[in-house]
Amino acid sequence: MTDRNRSLSGIKPTGEPHLGNYLGMIQPAIELQTEYDAFYFVADYHALTSVNDPQKLRDSVYHLTAYFLAFGLDPERAAFFRQSDIPEVTELTWLLSCVTHMGLLERAHAYKAAIDRGEEKDINHGVFSYPVLMASDILIYDSDIVPVGADQIQHVEMTRDMAQRFNRAFGGDFLKLPEHRVRGEVATVLGTDGRKMSKSYGNVIEPLLPPKKLRKQIMKIETDSAGLHDPKDPDSCTIVSLYKLFATPEEVATMKGRYREGGYGYGHAKQALFEKLDDTFHPYRQRYEEVLGDHDLLESVLQEGAKKVRPIVDEVMDRVRSAAGLGRPG
Ligand code: ADP
Ligand code: TRP
C-alpha cells in the first residue's frame, strides 16, 4: 500500500445489488480507486443479522465480487475482500462496545425503525450492535473517507463518536476519525414506489438482470392516474427522476417537454427508461456473466484483497490492544 489517503466501504451480501447501491456506493467507490488506496469488502458478518442460509450467503459474496469486477474494480489497485477474512474486526467491535453507550445505539435509525414497527422482542443483539461492528470495519483500516449513500451518514458519524470515546478513554490518538463521502445527486435513489430504493421495501430495479426481467421491474414504477393525452408534471415523477441519472441533459429536456405537452404516456416514458438502462448496463451484464462462474478467480481476488489489508490490521490491532492494556506489556 502507498501513503495515499484511504477510501473504505462495505456492502452487505443480502440479495442482488440495485440501482441505489450502484449509484450511491458501488460506482463512486470504484471511481475513487484511482485517487485513493481503496479498500472495499463484502459485509458477511453484518448479513448474519438477517441471513441464516450458509449457501445463500456464500453465493451472495461471489455475486457481489463479480459485480464489482464487472463495474471496473481493479484488483491490482484496490483491495476487495470478505469482512470475515479479517476476524479481528469482531475483536475491535468488543473494544469499541466497552466505550459505547447504549443511548447512542438506541438512536440508530435501523434500530429505531424496527422498534417503531413493533419488533422490539424479535430484534437480535446483532441488529442493536450493528453500528459498532461497522465502526470497527472503518477504524481497523485507519480509513480517511467512506463512500456511502445518505442512509449511512449516521453510521459514519457514530463511528467518529466511538473513535473519539476510545481515544479519550485511553488518552491518545489511537483511532483515526473518518469522513463520509456522499454524492449529492444520488444520495437517495428512488424505488418503484417512490420511496427510497431498498431491498427491504421490495421496490428495487436490479440493473444487471436480463432485459425481460429488467423491463418488468421498470414497468412496476408507480405513477399517478393521468391518461395518455393529459399533460403531466415531470418534476414529481419517479420515472423522470431515474431517467435523469443516466440520460443526457438534452434527452431529459425532451422527455420533460413531452410530459408537459400531453400525448405521451407513462408507458412510453418507462420504455425510454428501460432502453436507456439496458444500453448503459449491457456491457457490464456481459462481463458479470463471464466472471460469475469463475469461482477460482473470485476467490483469488478476495484472498489477495485480504492479504493486502493484513499489515494495516496488525498494526492497528497492536496499537489498540496495547492502548487498552491487553496482552503482555510490550
Ligand atoms: P438496502 O437499503 O437495499 O438494504 P444497503 O443497506 O445494502 O441497501 O446499502 C448498500 C450501500 O448502498 C450503502 O452505501 C447505501 O447507502 C447505498 N444505498 C442503498 N440504497 C440506496 C439508495 N436508494 N440511494 C442511494 N444509495 C443507496
Ligand atoms: N452498513 C452498510 C450498509 O448497510 C454496510 C457496511 C458494513 C459498511 N460495514 C461498513 C459501509 C463499513 C461502509 C463502511 O450498507
Side-chain angles (χ1 to χ4, degrees):
M1 286 287 129
T2 68
D3 54 4
R4 294 191 299 182
N5 280 351
R6 252 167 234 159
S7 166
L8 171 126
S9 196
I11 184 163
K12 264 182 304 173
T14 47
E16 299 302 306
H18 52 71
L19 278 183
N21 301 142
Y22 172 69
L23 293 165
M25 184 275 196
I26 301 176
Q27 191 193 37
I30 292 176
E31 279 179 21
L32 288 164
Q33 72 185 351
T34 52
E35 225 187 298
Y36 286 79
D37 278 344
F39 292 7
Y40 303 129
F41 64 90
V42 186
D44 54 350
Y45 282 140
H46 273 113
L48 289 178
T49 60
S50 60
V51 180
N52 301 118
D53 178 336
Q55 194 53 45
K56 224 172 157 179
L57 183 63
R58 289 197 187 98
D59 287 347
S60 237
V61 172
Y62 282 150
H63 286 199
L64 277 174
T65 310
Y67 250 91
F68 273 75
L69 292 177
F71 285 129
L73 179 109
D74 176 358
E76 300 289 317
R77 287 172 184 265
F80 192 85
F81 56 101
R82 265 191 196 91
Q83 183 184 31
S84 63
D85 280 335
I86 308 295
E88 288 88 340
V89 290
T90 60
E91 185 185 348
L92 181 55
T93 299
W94 178 252
L95 296 186
L96 295 173
S97 288
C98 296
V99 294
T100 304
H101 289 170
M102 302 274 286
L104 180 75
L105 300 177
E106 279 163 0
R107 287 196 292 278
H109 296 320
Y111 173 70
K112 269 176 42 187
I115 298 289
D116 291 347
R117 288 195 300 268
E119 295 169 4
E120 190 158 4
K121 295 230 157 49
D122 302 323
I123 301 172
N124 57 51
H125 182 252
V127 171
F128 185 63
S129 63
Y130 185 107
V132 193
L133 178 56
M134 178 157 162
S136 172
D137 286 329
I138 297 171
L139 299 171
I140 203 168
Y141 305 106
D142 275 345
S143 309
D144 295 289
I145 60 162
V146 186
V148 281
D151 59 349
Q152 297 297 316
I153 293 176
Q154 187 196 33
H155 285 146
V156 182
E157 290 302 313
M158 290 172 115
T159 301
R160 292 172 62 89
D161 201 328
M162 288 180 225
Q164 273 168 325
R165 278 172 197 270
F166 185 92
N167 289 346
R168 221 178 294 134
F170 295 108
D173 284 334
F174 304 108
L175 294 169
K176 187 173 208 170
L177 268 53
E179 312 245 345
H180 62 76
R181 181 63 77 88
V182 175
R183 260 201 206 162
E185 70 285 11
V186 289
T188 305
V189 176
L190 300 184
T192 54
D193 59 359
R195 291 186 292 171
K196 173 198 158 218
M197 188 176 290
S198 171
K199 277 165 246 170
S200 43
Y201 294 155
N203 62 358
V204 298
I205 296 176
E206 294 153 315
L208 298 194
L209 280 179
K212 256 194 178 162
K213 291 191 174 161
L214 175 63
R215 190 167 183 283
K216 212 166 156 191
Q217 285 187 334
I218 292 168
M219 292 299 154
K220 270 177 43 188
I221 297 175
E222 292 170 20
T223 56
D224 61 27
S225 57
L228 174 63
H229 299 288
D230 298 329
K232 302 173 180 67
D233 176 14
D235 298 320
S236 61
C237 178
T238 308
I239 311 170
V240 180
S241 87
L242 291 171
Y243 188 70
K244 263 204 300 217
L245 300 171
F246 296 93
T248 63
E250 295 75 39
E251 288 170 328
V252 176
T254 307
M255 182 180 274
K256 285 187 169 186
R258 289 184 174 148
Y259 263 68
R260 292 194 185 99
E261 276 162 26
Y264 184 74
Y266 289 124
H268 295 125
K270 289 179 185 178
Q271 180 63 25
L273 175 63
F274 163 66
E275 286 168 15
K276 182 51 75 188
L277 291 181
D278 193 38
D279 261 13
T280 307
F281 288 101
H282 176 71
Y284 300 126
R285 187 186 299 135
Q286 273 184 333
R287 171 97 181 110
Y288 173 69
E289 280 162 10
E290 271 163 38
V291 292
L292 187 61
D294 193 344
H295 285 190
D296 289 344
L297 168 76
L298 299 173
E299 197 51 55
S300 86
V301 167
L302 292 165
Q303 293 310 317
E304 284 305 309
K307 255 195 232 160
K308 265 192 219 164
V309 301
R310 169 55 51 198
I312 294 155
V313 172
D314 290 344
E315 189 193 316
V316 174
M317 287 311 295
D318 278 354
R319 205 194 295 151
V320 295
R321 283 182 193 130
S322 133
L326 296 173
R328 289 189 203 170

